[in-house]
């Protein structure tokens, strides 16, 4: 089950905590993975770690032309058509709405939401021809629950969910599924800086009693990317330890 | 019958799984051949590939029948 041999996947944000874990997990299941991000040295390190069947296609997702070219670039690097798109790159520019600068709004929407639209549009063409494909957007629990100080981020993540549902309906008859994964609180360099009191407050809200880790998200990605998940589409899979039951 | 028409008919018959007798020059993709909007996008992509041409979206909008496609492609190949 969940075998991905013969499939080619593009993972954006592969230099980040979750993206790297997702890339490792898809690769472990047998997929060819194309790693994307802006930090080329970090991409090279991960590609070297994975060895065979790992390729690099760097791109800055705040540049529309680079985003539009990324799927073709990835297919060229891997030497095969794209079967799995994981739109994982994402940024925050937090601040109360009344103090939010235009630029903070624009950048977050551009990198989190607009890049997803551009990548999915480019990927869909080949997937339609091949009558199969998996498009997976990494959104956030915040896109469903909201969070003060994150109007821009919450809007971008909720936007990804609506986008995925609409596209899922457009391409469902062609063997392409479109889903989101919504992580809750995942351990990262950022959460390591929390003090004990802060950590305890957060954990009180999580029935599982612990922060999640990258592997929890990667497992969800492997599932949604697999042939076995072919009947699941337009869905948002929440991986949050029960922090929000939605 | 022109060669372009034959190649277009073949794509349409294969793609829409249509009754060959119904795939005439006058046949409308949507009204006569039961295509939906996604089929039309795919047909246009298939024509582009078959004839190695590019069909911009605003031209594709005017391709409603098999004959429209043939005329468009013939003009494009002649140009
Ligand atoms: N960690 C969590 O608790 C959590 C919770 C909910 C949702 N998420 C979502 O999960 C995803 C991954 O999060 P993470 O924790 O792994 O974040 P992270 O470690 O900060 O990684 C972010 C990734 O996005 C890439 N990126 C940012 N701006 C980019 C740009 N302009 N062009 C190209 N790539 C860009 C970065 O690549 P470079 O550094 O190479 O530019 C990096 O690989 C995000 O979408 C995030 O919103 C995370």
């Amino acid at each position: 089950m969940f075998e991905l041999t013969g499939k080619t996947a593009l993972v954006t944000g592969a230099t980040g905590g979750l993206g790297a874990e997702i890339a490792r997990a898809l690769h472990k299941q047998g997929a060819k993975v194309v790693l994307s991000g802006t930090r080329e040295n970090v991409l090279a390190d991960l590609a070297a770690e994975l060895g065979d069947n790992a390729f690099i296609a760097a791109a800055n997702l705040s540049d529309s032309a680079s985003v539009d070219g990324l799927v073709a670039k990835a297919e060229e690097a891997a030497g095969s058509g794209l079967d799995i798109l994981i739109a994982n790159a994402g940024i925050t520019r937090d601040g109360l709405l009344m103090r939010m600068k235009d630029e903070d709004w624009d950048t977050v929407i551009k990198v989190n939401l607009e890049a997803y639209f551009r990548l999915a549009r480019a990927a869909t063409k080949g997937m339609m021809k091949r009558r199969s494909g998996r498009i997976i957007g990494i959104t956030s629990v915040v896109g469903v629950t909201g969070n003060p100080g994150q109007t821009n981020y919450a809007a971008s993540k909720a936007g990804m969910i609506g986008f995925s549902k609409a596209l899922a309906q457009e391409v469902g008859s062609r063997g392409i599924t479109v889903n989101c994964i919504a992580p809750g609180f995942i351990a990262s360099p950022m959460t390591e800086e929390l003090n004990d009191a802060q950590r305890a407050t957060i954990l009180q809200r999580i029935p599982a009693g612990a922060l999640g880790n990258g592997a929890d998200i990667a497992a969800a990605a492997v599932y949604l990317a697999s042939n076995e998940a072919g009947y699941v589409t337009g869905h948002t899979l929440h991986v949050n330890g029960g922090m929000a039951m939605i | 019958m022109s060669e372009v028409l034959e190649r277009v008919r073949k794509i349409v018959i294969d793609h829409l799984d249509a009754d060959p007798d119904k795939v005439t020059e006058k046949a409308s993709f949507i009204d006569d051949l039961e295509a939906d909007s996604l089929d039309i996008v795919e047909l246009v992509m298939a024509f582009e590939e078959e004839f190695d041409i590019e069909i911009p979206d605003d031209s594709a909008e005017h391709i409603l029948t098999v004959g429209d496609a043939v005329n468009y492609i013939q003009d494009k190949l002649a140009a």
Side-chain angles (χ1 to χ4, degrees), chain A residues 204-231:
Chain A
Q204 261 174 12
R205 294 168 50 204
I206 305 176
L211 300 184
N213 54 55
D216 294 318
I217 306 306
V222 165
Y223 169 63
L224 290 174
S226 72
N227 287 335
E228 285 80 358
Y231 204 54

mmCIF file of all heavy atoms in Angstrom, chain A residues 204-231:
data_model
loop_
_atom_site.group_PDB
_atom_site.id
_atom_site.type_symbol
_atom_site.label_atom_id
_atom_site.label_comp_id
_atom_site.label_asym_id
_atom_site.label_seq_id
_atom_site.Cartn_x
_atom_site.Cartn_y
_atom_site.Cartn_z
ATOM 1 N N GLN A 204 -2.184 22.376 26.651
ATOM 2 C CA GLN A 204 -3.519 22.243 27.240
ATOM 3 C C GLN A 204 -4.612 22.169 26.177
ATOM 4 O O GLN A 204 -5.657 21.588 26.400
ATOM 5 C CB GLN A 204 -3.802 23.460 28.132
ATOM 6 C CG GLN A 204 -3.567 23.175 29.589
ATOM 7 C CD GLN A 204 -3.711 24.452 30.414
ATOM 8 O OE1 GLN A 204 -4.198 25.463 29.928
ATOM 9 N NE2 GLN A 204 -3.270 24.374 31.648
ATOM 10 N N ARG A 205 -4.355 22.813 25.057
ATOM 11 C CA ARG A 205 -5.372 22.871 24.003
ATOM 12 C C ARG A 205 -5.292 21.679 23.053
ATOM 13 O O ARG A 205 -6.075 21.572 22.114
ATOM 14 C CB ARG A 205 -5.223 24.159 23.193
ATOM 15 C CG ARG A 205 -5.532 25.416 24.011
ATOM 16 C CD ARG A 205 -5.086 26.662 23.275
ATOM 17 N NE ARG A 205 -5.564 26.711 21.891
ATOM 18 C CZ ARG A 205 -4.977 27.414 20.926
ATOM 19 N NH1 ARG A 205 -3.878 28.101 21.167
ATOM 20 N NH2 ARG A 205 -5.483 27.413 19.712
ATOM 21 N N ILE A 206 -4.308 20.821 23.257
ATOM 22 C CA ILE A 206 -4.125 19.701 22.316
ATOM 23 C C ILE A 206 -4.396 18.371 23.019
ATOM 24 O O ILE A 206 -3.567 17.911 23.815
ATOM 25 C CB ILE A 206 -2.692 19.699 21.737
ATOM 26 C CG1 ILE A 206 -2.383 21.071 21.104
ATOM 27 C CG2 ILE A 206 -2.523 18.584 20.711
ATOM 28 C CD1 ILE A 206 -0.976 21.215 20.583
ATOM 29 N N PRO A 207 -5.528 17.747 22.733
ATOM 30 C CA PRO A 207 -5.857 16.478 23.395
ATOM 31 C C PRO A 207 -4.744 15.435 23.287
ATOM 32 O O PRO A 207 -4.536 14.664 24.227
ATOM 33 C CB PRO A 207 -7.118 16.015 22.654
ATOM 34 C CG PRO A 207 -7.756 17.285 22.202
ATOM 35 C CD PRO A 207 -6.615 18.213 21.872
ATOM 36 N N ALA A 208 -4.020 15.415 22.198
ATOM 37 C CA ALA A 208 -2.958 14.426 22.045
ATOM 38 C C ALA A 208 -1.816 14.682 23.029
ATOM 39 O O ALA A 208 -0.959 13.818 23.224
ATOM 40 C CB ALA A 208 -2.430 14.428 20.606
ATOM 41 N N GLY A 209 -1.774 15.892 23.615
ATOM 42 C CA GLY A 209 -0.801 16.170 24.663
ATOM 43 C C GLY A 209 0.613 16.417 24.171
ATOM 44 O O GLY A 209 1.560 16.389 24.956
ATOM 45 N N ALA A 210 0.772 16.645 22.894
ATOM 46 C CA ALA A 210 2.118 16.896 22.367
ATOM 47 C C ALA A 210 2.007 17.710 21.087
ATOM 48 O O ALA A 210 0.948 17.709 20.451
ATOM 49 C CB ALA A 210 2.813 15.568 22.064
ATOM 50 N N LEU A 211 3.097 18.360 20.739
ATOM 51 C CA LEU A 211 3.136 18.998 19.424
ATOM 52 C C LEU A 211 3.280 17.900 18.379
ATOM 53 O O LEU A 211 3.772 16.813 18.679
ATOM 54 C CB LEU A 211 4.342 19.945 19.324
ATOM 55 C CG LEU A 211 4.407 21.092 20.329
ATOM 56 C CD1 LEU A 211 5.607 21.984 20.007
ATOM 57 C CD2 LEU A 211 3.126 21.918 20.292
ATOM 58 N N GLY A 212 2.865 18.214 17.168
ATOM 59 C CA GLY A 212 3.073 17.246 16.088
ATOM 60 C C GLY A 212 4.491 17.354 15.565
ATOM 61 O O GLY A 212 5.235 18.246 15.956
ATOM 62 N N ASN A 213 4.862 16.462 14.689
ATOM 63 C CA ASN A 213 6.155 16.636 14.025
ATOM 64 C C ASN A 213 6.009 16.452 12.517
ATOM 65 O O ASN A 213 4.947 16.053 12.036
ATOM 66 C CB ASN A 213 7.226 15.721 14.640
ATOM 67 C CG ASN A 213 6.775 14.293 14.641
ATOM 68 O OD1 ASN A 213 6.423 13.745 13.599
ATOM 69 N ND2 ASN A 213 6.765 13.677 15.818
ATOM 70 N N GLY A 214 7.084 16.774 11.823
ATOM 71 C CA GLY A 214 7.042 16.757 10.361
ATOM 72 C C GLY A 214 6.576 15.428 9.790
ATOM 73 O O GLY A 214 5.856 15.391 8.789
ATOM 74 N N ALA A 215 6.960 14.349 10.464
ATOM 75 C CA ALA A 215 6.600 13.023 9.955
ATOM 76 C C ALA A 215 5.081 12.812 9.965
ATOM 77 O O ALA A 215 4.545 12.082 9.126
ATOM 78 C CB ALA A 215 7.298 11.943 10.783
ATOM 79 N N ASP A 216 4.390 13.454 10.915
ATOM 80 C CA ASP A 216 2.921 13.326 10.958
ATOM 81 C C ASP A 216 2.303 13.929 9.689
ATOM 82 O O ASP A 216 1.324 13.402 9.148
ATOM 83 C CB ASP A 216 2.354 14.058 12.183
ATOM 84 C CG ASP A 216 2.792 13.407 13.496
ATOM 85 O OD1 ASP A 216 2.786 12.164 13.568
ATOM 86 O OD2 ASP A 216 3.139 14.144 14.431
ATOM 87 N N ILE A 217 2.870 15.038 9.262
ATOM 88 C CA ILE A 217 2.359 15.708 8.057
ATOM 89 C C ILE A 217 2.773 14.908 6.818
ATOM 90 O O ILE A 217 1.990 14.721 5.884
ATOM 91 C CB ILE A 217 2.910 17.155 7.972
ATOM 92 C CG1 ILE A 217 2.604 17.927 9.261
ATOM 93 C CG2 ILE A 217 2.358 17.877 6.742
ATOM 94 C CD1 ILE A 217 1.143 17.937 9.665
ATOM 95 N N ALA A 218 4.004 14.418 6.828
ATOM 96 C CA ALA A 218 4.514 13.669 5.680
ATOM 97 C C ALA A 218 3.672 12.408 5.437
ATOM 98 O O ALA A 218 3.399 12.041 4.292
ATOM 99 C CB ALA A 218 5.982 13.310 5.909
ATOM 100 N N ALA A 219 3.241 11.760 6.507
ATOM 101 C CA ALA A 219 2.440 10.542 6.361
ATOM 102 C C ALA A 219 1.104 10.864 5.682
ATOM 103 O O ALA A 219 0.610 10.094 4.846
ATOM 104 C CB ALA A 219 2.200 9.898 7.723
ATOM 105 N N ALA A 220 0.535 12.004 6.059
ATOM 106 C CA ALA A 220 -0.726 12.420 5.430
ATOM 107 C C ALA A 220 -0.502 12.688 3.941
ATOM 108 O O ALA A 220 -1.337 12.343 3.089
ATOM 109 C CB ALA A 220 -1.266 13.671 6.128
ATOM 110 N N ALA A 221 0.646 13.279 3.621
ATOM 111 C CA ALA A 221 0.952 13.584 2.216
ATOM 112 C C ALA A 221 1.124 12.294 1.414
ATOM 113 O O ALA A 221 0.636 12.180 0.284
ATOM 114 C CB ALA A 221 2.209 14.450 2.123
ATOM 115 N N VAL A 222 1.804 11.313 2.003
ATOM 116 C CA VAL A 222 1.992 10.027 1.309
ATOM 117 C C VAL A 222 0.628 9.405 1.014
ATOM 118 O O VAL A 222 0.357 8.940 -0.098
ATOM 119 C CB VAL A 222 2.858 9.063 2.154
ATOM 120 C CG1 VAL A 222 2.753 7.635 1.632
ATOM 121 C CG2 VAL A 222 4.315 9.520 2.156
ATOM 122 N N TYR A 223 -0.240 9.443 1.999
ATOM 123 C CA TYR A 223 -1.574 8.862 1.798
ATOM 124 C C TYR A 223 -2.317 9.564 0.658
ATOM 125 O O TYR A 223 -2.775 8.915 -0.295
ATOM 126 C CB TYR A 223 -2.399 8.943 3.089
ATOM 127 C CG TYR A 223 -3.854 8.600 2.853
ATOM 128 C CD1 TYR A 223 -4.206 7.322 2.411
ATOM 129 C CD2 TYR A 223 -4.858 9.554 3.005
ATOM 130 C CE1 TYR A 223 -5.532 7.013 2.134
ATOM 131 C CE2 TYR A 223 -6.181 9.246 2.737
ATOM 132 C CZ TYR A 223 -6.511 7.977 2.295
ATOM 133 O OH TYR A 223 -7.821 7.667 2.005
ATOM 134 N N LEU A 224 -2.409 10.878 0.735
ATOM 135 C CA LEU A 224 -3.188 11.593 -0.288
ATOM 136 C C LEU A 224 -2.554 11.474 -1.671
ATOM 137 O O LEU A 224 -3.233 11.576 -2.683
ATOM 138 C CB LEU A 224 -3.349 13.063 0.109
ATOM 139 C CG LEU A 224 -4.284 13.307 1.304
ATOM 140 C CD1 LEU A 224 -4.270 14.784 1.704
ATOM 141 C CD2 LEU A 224 -5.718 12.864 0.996
ATOM 142 N N ALA A 225 -1.235 11.257 -1.719
ATOM 143 C CA ALA A 225 -0.550 11.120 -3.007
ATOM 144 C C ALA A 225 -0.721 9.726 -3.607
ATOM 145 O O ALA A 225 -0.488 9.523 -4.798
ATOM 146 C CB ALA A 225 0.947 11.414 -2.840
ATOM 147 N N SER A 226 -1.146 8.782 -2.789
ATOM 148 C CA SER A 226 -1.141 7.382 -3.223
ATOM 149 C C SER A 226 -2.332 7.040 -4.123
ATOM 150 O O SER A 226 -3.339 7.755 -4.144
ATOM 151 C CB SER A 226 -1.177 6.466 -1.993
ATOM 152 O OG SER A 226 -2.469 6.526 -1.388
ATOM 153 N N ASN A 227 -2.206 5.935 -4.833
ATOM 154 C CA ASN A 227 -3.340 5.441 -5.628
ATOM 155 C C ASN A 227 -4.518 5.108 -4.724
ATOM 156 O O ASN A 227 -5.676 5.269 -5.101
ATOM 157 C CB ASN A 227 -2.947 4.165 -6.386
ATOM 158 C CG ASN A 227 -2.027 4.467 -7.543
ATOM 159 O OD1 ASN A 227 -2.046 5.590 -8.075
ATOM 160 N ND2 ASN A 227 -1.209 3.503 -7.919
ATOM 161 N N GLU A 228 -4.202 4.648 -3.523
ATOM 162 C CA GLU A 228 -5.250 4.218 -2.596
ATOM 163 C C GLU A 228 -6.189 5.362 -2.212
ATOM 164 O O GLU A 228 -7.323 5.125 -1.806
ATOM 165 C CB GLU A 228 -4.620 3.614 -1.328
ATOM 166 C CG GLU A 228 -4.046 2.211 -1.520
ATOM 167 C CD GLU A 228 -2.665 2.186 -2.175
ATOM 168 O OE1 GLU A 228 -2.121 3.248 -2.530
ATOM 169 O OE2 GLU A 228 -2.128 1.067 -2.333
ATOM 170 N N ALA A 229 -5.715 6.605 -2.318
ATOM 171 C CA ALA A 229 -6.547 7.752 -1.923
ATOM 172 C C ALA A 229 -7.342 8.313 -3.102
ATOM 173 O O ALA A 229 -7.886 9.415 -3.018
ATOM 174 C CB ALA A 229 -5.683 8.838 -1.301
ATOM 175 N N GLY A 230 -7.433 7.537 -4.181
ATOM 176 C CA GLY A 230 -8.076 8.036 -5.399
ATOM 177 C C GLY A 230 -9.527 8.486 -5.245
ATOM 178 O O GLY A 230 -10.026 9.250 -6.068
ATOM 179 N N TYR A 231 -10.188 8.020 -4.213
ATOM 180 C CA TYR A 231 -11.606 8.380 -4.031
ATOM 181 C C TYR A 231 -11.772 9.529 -3.038
ATOM 182 O O TYR A 231 -12.888 9.865 -2.656
ATOM 183 C CB TYR A 231 -12.380 7.141 -3.565
ATOM 184 C CG TYR A 231 -13.863 7.183 -3.887
ATOM 185 C CD1 TYR A 231 -14.315 7.415 -5.190
ATOM 186 C CD2 TYR A 231 -14.818 6.993 -2.889
ATOM 187 C CE1 TYR A 231 -15.663 7.466 -5.482
ATOM 188 C CE2 TYR A 231 -16.171 7.034 -3.174
ATOM 189 C CZ TYR A 231 -16.593 7.263 -4.470
ATOM 190 O OH TYR A 231 -17.929 7.316 -4.757
#
